[in-house]
Amino acid sequence: MTSDLGSDYGLEGKVAIVTGGGAAGDGIGNGRAAAILLARSGARVLVVDRQIDLAERTVQMISDEGGEAAAFAADVTDEDQCRAMVEHAVSQFGRLDCLDNNVGIASVGSVVDEDPHVWRQLMQVNVESMFLTSKYAIPAMLATAKAGAIVNVASIAALRPRGMTAYSTSKGAVITLTRAMAVDHGADGIRVNCVAPGAVYTPMVFAEGLSDEARERRRKASLLEVEGNGWDIGYAVRFLLSDQARFITGQTLVVDGGMTLTGRPRATDSQ
């Protein structure tokens, strides 16, 4: 292991799957940022989204920079589609090294208020999807690359609940799943880590109709009083998937500008 990994982070020639890799228009969501940054470091990226046009736009943005990527449509709550996704990555690029589990949905309410159907849907999308993608990605990593790295995207809502009980619970499960997977597969050379974003501004948040006042409250909730965005999460994901994080597994990297360090109040906005 060299002390100088260069600008490619040890990702040159590797293959990554990024789920939830699309975004509206040219906006930069967490998944799109991760996909672009991985490609900039020389990785070949399979960009996965339920809406193929959103994934294709990410691929075009990567191609415009000289990177290599392909789009794939999949609902990662479906086991057959997760299996097909992994098979396509290996067929397209010849190997699999990295997986960024970036799919998630939110809901507001207590256990009294929450609809049981919505509760089950959050658990399926936010937790079971990561189980299914990893179930097929890990054997492919071992068969084609002899090692691998996975990042599961959680949320600071798991660390500081604030009225989104189903969402907080699902993201807490993601953190525990990450630790359990790290224990299960560490001896095989599979690293598994987690990124917990704070209130970053992404196309998904914009689509929810966030007011200027609410956006400013979110910015001020950061100890740094700066607004986070998809790039901030993408950089964290790239680091944890890279060889620079070769001695890191089972950890949760909080990317929130310090929000979880204080009890400073803010509006209940999606994370």
Side-chain angles (χ1 to χ4, degrees):
M1 175 69 184
T2 178
S3 61
D4 182 11
L5 293 171
S7 60
D8 67 2
Y9 294 81
L11 289 164
E12 182 71 42
K14 292 189 175 181
V15 174
I17 293 174
V18 177
T19 69
D26 289 338
I28 302 297
N30 299 339
R32 175 170 284 171
I36 292 172
L37 291 169
L38 288 165
R40 285 178 182 173
S41 297
R44 294 165 289 168
V45 184
L46 185 68
V47 182
V48 180
D49 202 283
R50 284 196 306 170
Q51 296 179 246
I52 190 64
D53 58 317
L54 302 186
E56 288 173 339
R57 180 59 190 138
T58 302
V59 169
Q60 185 60 55
M61 294 168 81
I62 290 171
S63 298
D64 288 346
E65 295 186 355
E68 185 175 355
F72 189 81
D75 177 350
V76 290
T77 66
D78 182 276
E79 182 178 2
D80 290 339
Q81 293 185 50
C82 288
R83 182 192 298 111
M85 174 189 74
V86 171
E87 290 174 349
H88 186 80
V90 174
S91 174
Q92 177 91 9
F93 298 119
R95 61 186 290 157
L96 180 62
D97 302 88
C98 304
L99 170 64
D100 176 19
N101 279 316
N102 182 64
V103 170
I105 57 175
S107 178
V108 176
S110 70
V111 293
V112 175
D113 302 324
E114 189 63 89
D115 184 299
H117 170 73
V118 174
W119 174 278
R120 289 189 291 269
Q121 184 182 34
L122 259 73
M123 299 306 157
Q124 183 180 34
V125 173
N126 294 358
V127 187
E128 187 175 337
S129 66
M130 299 188 184
F131 154 69
L132 291 173
T133 57
S134 301
K135 179 178 180 64
Y136 293 101
I138 290 172
M141 290 174 180
L142 294 176
T144 64
K146 310 303 181 188
I150 298 172
V151 169
N152 298 322
V153 177
S155 167
I156 63 168
L159 308 174
R160 194 180 76 179
R162 53 179 184 80
M164 305 171 71
T165 298
Y167 181 69
S168 294
T169 302
S170 71
K171 293 302 187 177
V174 168
I175 292 174
T176 302
L177 175 64
T178 298
R179 291 168 61 85
M181 287 170 59
V183 170
D184 290 341
H185 305 289
D188 295 322
I190 303 291
R191 296 186 302 102
V192 189
N193 289 292
C194 184
V195 170
V200 298
Y201 190 71
T202 65
M204 181 178 292
V205 172
F206 178 79
E208 293 171 355
L210 190 69
S211 68
D212 290 341
E213 293 78 9
R215 184 175 178 182
E216 180 64 7
R217 284 196 299 271
R218 286 159 58 99
R219 183 187 69 80
K220 288 184 175 180
S222 159
L223 293 180
L224 304 175
E225 295 196 353
V226 298
E227 181 179 62
N229 56 43
W231 292 116
D232 296 304
I233 309 309
Y235 282 119
V237 170
R238 180 175 66 175
F239 165 67
L240 288 172
L241 290 176
S242 78
D243 286 351
Q244 290 189 347
R246 62 183 290 271
F247 200 49
I248 302 173
T249 196
Q251 303 305 305
T252 298
L253 177 56
V254 178
V255 186
D256 71 344
M259 288 180 186
T260 50
L261 296 177
T262 70
R264 187 180 298 181
R266 65 185 180 86
T268 300
D269 305 315
S270 297
Q271 294 174 11

